[in-house]
Amino acid sequence: MLVGSVLLLGAAVLAGLALGSNPIPLPEVIAALSGGGDAYTRTVVESRIPRTLQGLLVGACLALSGVLVQGITRNPLGDPGLLGVNIGASASVVTATAFFGLGGHATIWAALPGAFLAVGVVSLIGSGRGGATPVRLVLAGAVVSAVLSAYIQAMTLSLPDVFGSYRYWVVGSLAGGDTDTLLGVLPFAVAGLVLAVLMAAPLNALALGDTTAATLGANTTAIRIGGMLSATLLCAAATASAGPIAFIGLAVPHIVRALVGNDHRWQVPLGLVLGPVLLLTADVLGRVIARPQEIMVGVVTAFVGAPALLLAVRRMRAGT
């Protein structure tokens, strides 16, 4: 499964470099990557490389954060937004735009603190006297999301300029990605990835239930804190880079479980590969369908991810 997914990822990368408003034959793309071909082809391919790299990074981050959140909460409908990461980043962007006049690439740095702050509040509310539990975390995330959503609606409806800037960012898009943006969020993504790999085995113990995990010697509080920190780092990096792209963090964990089962030691590497496959595929479809314009990838992921999630769920039911 992992080898096949890597081959799909290679095909998605080549498609991302070859297809768009000006499609380029695959042999010419390969020639341009090796330094050959004409100047026009090299220019087009080089302009698509940052966007493709951004798709690789964002897709991997969203998929892994979804795997972690569903493992922490033991909720198959969980996604990174459950912890308030997306809504926190959105509220931070709205605040920065309304009060400080920030826009464009500056929203990247505005989104990061909001994402971390929202998760911190969710963790604080969800902990309580008896420590964090899946139900408490879900309820705390719902409360924080409701409050911040009301704040965002109030600001965007009161300030038309803020709404104009926010509505483009909130859909999620890989357009406009550049090397500086990738380098800026890369440390957060790498830190989250390393922590996700370390958390894979402990999440298997947590899946057995808090009582059983504690009996086996696992520190359930430490596992949840580590998993939440990793998911926050990954999702914050993705959201700051491309906006709050939906459905990747929800659909990919289901697809991964349908392929390799419930072992997080396999879910993490497979999610790392399949997340970019789904996101790059959606991005290519968005560029091809509406050529010479394009549909934002955040819109396409819902259309691509929904059937994939449905097939995965049906396969899991058939297996049981």
Side-chain angles (χ1 to χ4, degrees):
M1 292 296 179
L2 187 58
V3 172
S5 299
V6 171
L7 294 177
L8 285 176
L9 179 60
V13 168
L14 290 176
L17 296 174
L19 300 177
S21 58
N22 295 310
I24 300 174
L26 190 57
E28 295 184 17
V29 172
I30 297 175
L33 292 174
S34 60
D38 59 86
Y40 172 77
T41 301
R42 288 197 303 270
T43 300
V44 173
V45 172
E46 290 173 0
S47 68
R48 292 173 180 170
I49 289 177
R51 181 171 185 155
T52 303
L53 292 176
Q54 186 182 23
L56 290 171
L57 179 68
V58 172
C61 287
L62 291 177
L64 286 184
S65 61
V67 170
L68 292 169
V69 169
Q70 292 187 14
I72 294 169
T73 62
R74 298 197 292 271
N75 181 2
L77 296 179
D79 70 347
L82 201 65
L83 299 179
V85 179
N86 291 341
I87 197 69
S90 300
S92 185
V93 168
V94 168
T95 301
T97 304
F99 295 104
F100 303 102
L102 298 182
H105 280 55
T107 56
I108 296 172
W109 309 114
L112 287 172
F116 286 109
L117 182 60
V119 174
V121 173
V122 169
S123 302
L124 183 63
I125 297 175
S127 296
R129 295 182 179 180
T133 63
V135 175
R136 285 177 177 173
L137 289 174
V138 171
L139 292 177
V143 171
V144 172
S145 296
V147 172
L148 292 180
S149 295
Y151 166 76
I152 291 172
Q153 290 180 4
M155 294 298 294
T156 52
L157 292 176
S158 303
L159 303 172
D161 293 340
V162 174
F163 176 73
S165 174
Y166 171 73
R167 67 177 180 177
Y168 177 83
W169 178 84
V170 75
V171 176
S173 175
L174 298 180
D178 53 34
T179 305
D180 292 338
T181 301
L182 290 175
L183 293 178
V185 301
L186 188 61
F188 299 95
V190 171
L193 173 59
V194 172
L195 192 55
V197 173
L198 296 176
M199 296 303 301
L203 282 176
N204 285 341
L206 192 64
L208 300 175
D210 288 8
T211 303
T212 304
T215 303
L216 295 174
N219 188 334
T220 57
T221 301
I223 294 173
R224 284 202 172 89
I225 292 175
M228 289 179 65
L229 178 58
S230 176
T232 303
L233 288 168
L234 291 167
C235 191
T239 304
S241 176
I245 297 175
F247 226 93
I248 300 295
L250 175 62
V252 172
H254 282 273
I255 298 172
V256 168
R257 277 195 297 272
L259 295 175
V260 297
N262 295 319
D263 192 342
H264 288 86
R265 293 173 298 178
W266 282 108
Q267 287 186 25
V268 167
L270 198 61
L272 181 68
V273 178
L274 286 182
V277 170
L278 185 57
L279 186 59
L280 288 175
T281 301
D283 185 48
V284 170
L285 288 176
R287 283 185 279 169
V288 171
I289 293 174
R291 187 186 300 166
Q293 304 298 320
E294 69 175 69
I295 303 173
M296 289 187 175
V297 68
V299 176
V300 183
T301 50
F303 290 98
V304 175
L309 176 60
L310 179 60
L311 290 175
V313 172
R314 289 176 63 89
R315 177 170 176 175
M316 291 174 65
R317 288 179 177 177
T320 57

